[in-house]
């Protein structure tokens, strides 16, 4: 059986992020979480409180270098027209040195929670913005290897 080696780790700089198929080269970090929503189920004769999963919710955060007003405009689209903007995010991990293959995570029906409409900082060498979002579906069309060779 093959063992895990240090070179199997994935260099985070080998990641890419796409929004509606357009690469966002100014992304600094990306994370997304799926959470199970559960209800309590009391069961006669059992002292343990049971849990039943009833739905899922997806949340995430993009951290970007502040080089565009793209996301502010997306949020203001709702303010001016009443039409909310939804998009697809795809994160790609592909470190050829790791030997793990490529992972693609696709998040569906993404929607921004908030954006900073203005930002200045005299001490910042590179301005960043953090954008929280929700999503309503996920796919893994390409996954990393499970075993080690």
């Amino acid at each position: 059986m093959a063992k895990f080696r240090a070179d199997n780790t994935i260099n985070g700089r080998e990641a890419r992020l796409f929004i509606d198929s357009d690469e966002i080269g100014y992304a600094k970090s990306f994370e997304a979480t799926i959470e199970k929503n559960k209800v309590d189920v009391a069961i006669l004769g059992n002292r343990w409180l049971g849990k039943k999963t009833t739905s899922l919710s997806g949340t995430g955060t993009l951290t970007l270098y502040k080089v565009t007003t793209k996301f502010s405009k997306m949020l203001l689209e709702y303010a001016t027209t009443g039409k909310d903007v939804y998009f697809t995010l795809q994160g790609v991990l592909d470190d050829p040195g790791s030997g793990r293959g490529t992972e693609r995570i696709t998040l569906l029906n993404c929607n921004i929670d908030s954006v900073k409409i203005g930002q200045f900082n005299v001490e910042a060498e590179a301005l960043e913005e953090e954008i929280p979002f929700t999503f309503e579906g996920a796919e893994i069309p390409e996954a990393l290897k499970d075993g080690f060779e």
Side-chain angles (χ1 to χ4, degrees):
M1 175 181 219
K3 294 183 180 182
F4 171 77
R5 298 182 324 266
D7 66 340
N8 293 142
T9 60
I10 298 172
N11 180 349
R13 291 185 179 194
E14 298 292 346
R16 297 186 318 272
L17 181 68
F18 299 84
I19 296 178
D20 291 333
S21 300
D22 294 328
E23 187 165 5
I24 304 299
Y26 50 93
K28 183 176 178 189
S29 67
F30 160 75
E31 76 175 30
T33 303
I34 299 173
E35 187 172 326
K36 293 166 94 177
N37 300 308
K38 299 179 181 183
V39 296
D40 292 342
V41 178
I43 302 168
L44 288 174
N46 190 340
R47 290 184 181 94
W48 287 94
L49 184 62
K51 303 286 185 182
K52 178 169 178 68
T53 301
T54 58
S55 62
L56 301 170
S57 59
T59 59
T61 304
L62 294 174
T63 303
L64 309 166
Y65 291 108
K66 179 66 175 172
V67 296
T68 180
T69 56
K70 176 183 184 80
F71 295 94
S72 297
K73 288 178 181 179
M74 288 172 79
L75 198 60
L76 288 175
E77 176 74 17
Y78 175 73
T80 57
T81 68
K83 183 177 185 298
D84 212 351
V85 177
Y86 289 84
F87 52 93
T88 299
L89 276 173
Q90 186 173 70
V92 179
L93 284 176
D94 187 15
D95 179 357
S98 74
R100 308 307 305 144
T102 300
E103 177 183 72
R104 293 180 192 279
I105 304 293
T106 304
L107 304 180
L108 308 169
N109 300 314
C110 298
N111 185 260
I112 295 172
D113 291 341
S114 64
V115 294
K116 290 180 183 171
I117 194 70
Q119 176 183 10
F120 301 84
N121 183 342
V122 72
E123 295 177 0
E125 293 180 10
L127 288 177
E128 297 176 6
E129 59 182 333
E130 190 171 278
I131 301 171
F133 64 93
T134 57
F135 60 95
E136 300 170 2
E139 300 170 349
I140 303 177
E142 193 171 1
L144 296 173
K145 296 176 185 176
D146 288 332
F148 297 96
E149 300 170 4

